[in-house]
Amino acid sequence: MQDKLNEIEKAALESLAVVDDPAAVEAWRVTHLGRSSELMGVFSSLGKLSKEERPVVGAAANRVKVALEAALEEKAAAVKNAALAKSLAEEKLDVTLPGRAKNIGRLHPSTQQLRRVLAILAEMGFQVFTSREVETDDMNFQMLNFPLHHPARDMQDTFFVEAENRGDNPILMRTHTSPGQIHAMRKFAATNPSDPPPIRIALPGMCFRYEQITARSEVQFNQVEGLAVGKNITFADLKGTIADFVRRMFGEGARLRFRASYFPFTEPSAEIDVECFVCGGKGCQVCKNSGWLEILGCGMVHPNVLMNGGYDPKVYSGFAWGMGPERQLMLRNKVGDIRYFWGNDVRFLEQF
Ligand code: DAH
């Protein structure tokens, strides 16, 4: 009987040695320590032994049982530790890996530049006045001293929205922010028609022209119009204001020049050039070898325009300008093609 017990123990421990997962541990327990295991069979047959043999065999069987239980416990712990180590290794988190950058939204470059321009103008005392994008011919042209059929209209080819049955006053997309001047003057004048208040405003917004789309021209673009109207405003005020703006926008050292020009709604009229950012005035491809880049048109508000706005030109004078934020960005950041602005290519937009 002692030999049999030794064999049971030896066989059980040998088969336990190759057990390596929790299910096999449980199967081993059922086989070797379960109710119908060989070892339990020894216990149930104790009753058939003689009085002398019974305690001896019982003690020996008990020793085997205790030994197998201890081995089982040890194996179960080892299998559990191995499983834990395995899952730790597989699910390892490398905290030194660089994170993935989040794609965050941003303002469109035109909006950014528009806000820069308006922030500078606000510091200089210009209040924002917004005006509609869909206009009538009389506001976009006639009130601004473009007579009907005047050749100066060819300067701004127009998208018409509704022309039928509207005679000489079709509805159109504004070609510039200048009609906002009339809206603004009329609104201010209405507050005190016999003695209208002075005006100092910036008019930002989208403009539309029926143009061939090329690297230099688009069918839509922003403008920021400026308008100052008061009782003693002179061309010197216009020069000082523009020079101040240019320094605030392009830097203290930025050089500029006034060049005589023509617009129907201003007299006299001028265009402003700044020294070329690219070559510093020496002459290059960007400035077409002139050393200068045009950034805006301006002038003293034409008496007819003041009158159309409700301001008596014998009492009031004023100056105005119109400039393009996209054009400024192109010059500043050397963007060679205006089509990038509305092309929706994030590789372009993400650079700003
Ligand atoms: N409206 C002109 C354009 O779009 C720009 C302009 C020039 C506006 C002179 C002005 C001005 O107010 O005084 O080409």
Side-chain angles (χ1 to χ4, degrees), residues 144 146 155-156 175-179 181 207 209 221 223-227 262-263 265-266 268-271 296-301 319-323:
L144 291 165
F146 286 83
M155 291 161 78
Q156 304 184 358
T175 57
H176 51 176
T177 43
S178 303
Q181 290 189 28
C207 304
R209 289 194 197 168
F221 52 90
Q223 279 192 344
V224 178
E225 189 97 2
L227 174 69
Y262 169 78
F263 300 100
F265 34 89
T266 44
S269 304
E271 281 175 295
L296 60 87
C298 61
M300 299 305 289
V301 182
F319 65 78
W321 77 76
M323 59 187 163

Side-chain angles (χ1 to χ4, degrees), residues 54-73:
R54 207 178 296 156
V56 182
V57 176
N62 228 356
R63 190 198 55 76
V64 173
K65 182 168 174 262
V66 168
L68 291 189
E69 280 170 350
L72 171 67
E73 204 175 304

Side-chain angles (χ1 to χ4, degrees), residues 114 131 133 174 177 203-207 221-225 325:
L114 210 52
S131 167
E133 292 176 348
R174 69 174 173 194
T177 43
L203 301 128
M206 197 66 89
C207 304
F221 52 90
N222 281 288
Q223 279 192 344
V224 178
E225 189 97 2

Side-chain angles (χ1 to χ4, degrees), residues 47-177:
K48 290 183 207 130
L49 298 176
S50 66
K51 253 194 183 132
E52 295 75 33
E53 270 180 319
R54 207 178 296 156
V56 182
V57 176
N62 228 356
R63 190 198 55 76
V64 173
K65 182 168 174 262
V66 168
L68 291 189
E69 280 170 350
L72 171 67
E73 204 175 304
E74 199 183 311
K75 177 56 100 179
V79 165
K80 203 171 141 202
N81 283 339
L84 181 65
K86 186 167 169 246
S87 81
L88 281 179
E90 279 172 0
E91 293 156 28
K92 193 163 75 177
L93 187 66
D94 183 355
V95 293
T96 66
L97 266 182
R100 289 193 190 90
K102 269 239 159 44
N103 244 338
I104 51 168
R106 69 197 67 223
L107 291 174
H108 190 278
S110 290
T111 308
Q112 293 180 28
Q113 182 65 10
L114 210 52
R115 290 190 179 186
R116 264 180 228 124
V117 169
L118 293 177
I120 290 173
L121 291 173
E123 282 175 9
M124 294 169 64
F126 286 82
Q127 184 184 347
V128 170
F129 187 100
T130 50
S131 167
R132 61 188 60 174
E133 292 176 348
V134 179
E135 276 292 2
T136 49
D137 184 281
D138 57 356
M139 295 304 278
N140 195 75
F141 291 121
Q142 296 175 49
M143 292 298 142
L144 291 165
N145 205 35
F146 286 83
L148 279 170
H149 316 299
H150 190 281
R153 286 177 178 234
D154 290 350
M155 291 161 78
Q156 304 184 358
D157 285 321
T158 310
F159 282 118
F160 291 95
V161 177
E162 196 190 320
E164 244 168 275
N165 304 321
R166 291 195 54 89
D168 288 334
N169 200 21
I171 297 174
L172 45 79
M173 302 305 290
R174 69 174 173 194
T175 57
H176 51 176
T177 43

Side-chain angles (χ1 to χ4, degrees), residues 275-293 334:
E275 201 166 59
C276 180
F277 304 107
V278 180
C279 62
K282 286 193 207 62
C284 68
Q285 256 185 328
V286 174
C287 61
K288 296 206 209 97
N289 281 319
S290 69
W292 296 95
L293 298 165
K334 297 169 201 166

